[in-house]
Amino acid sequence: MMVMEKQILHTCLYKAKQAFKSGNIESARDFCDLGIAYIADKRLDGFESEDLIEDVKIDLWLERFWMFLEKKNLLL
């Protein structure tokens, strides 16, 4: 099992939430997209859906980003 230690995804999700709260919809969407793209890159590097990034399974990270986008009506 591979494990990543940087806090990139926590930061992306936090910044997306903050941007949305301050009315910056484009930035909120961009931070979610950045998080999803980061995960996609890790999957290309061989990470599996059950592997951990920042102590959270990849599947859960994807769910967090997609649910945020969906609940805030940010999907294009």
Side-chain angles (χ1 to χ4, degrees):
M1 175 184 285
M2 293 187 201
V3 179
M4 294 290 296
E5 294 302 323
K6 294 180 182 177
Q7 297 297 306
I8 293 170
L9 296 176
H10 279 98
T11 301
C12 284
L13 191 57
Y14 173 79
K15 287 185 175 183
K17 291 176 180 179
Q18 293 302 313
F20 186 81
K21 284 181 186 176
S22 47
N24 194 338
I25 303 303
E26 290 297 319
S27 286
R29 184 181 297 120
D30 289 345
F31 281 116
C32 287
D33 289 345
L34 181 63
I36 292 167
Y38 182 81
I39 293 167
D41 184 58
K42 294 302 167 195
R43 292 296 306 266
L44 290 173
D45 288 343
F47 278 66
E48 300 294 331
S49 62
E50 295 296 312
D51 288 334
L52 301 177
I53 299 178
E54 301 173 26
D55 295 324
V56 178
K57 289 182 182 180
I58 287 177
D59 279 349
L60 182 55
W61 274 121
L62 289 173
E63 185 176 331
R64 288 177 178 177
F65 284 113
W66 284 108
M67 291 303 295
F68 180 80
L69 289 168
E70 189 173 302
K71 286 184 178 184
K72 304 301 184 186
N73 200 27
L74 300 177
L75 295 173
L76 293 177

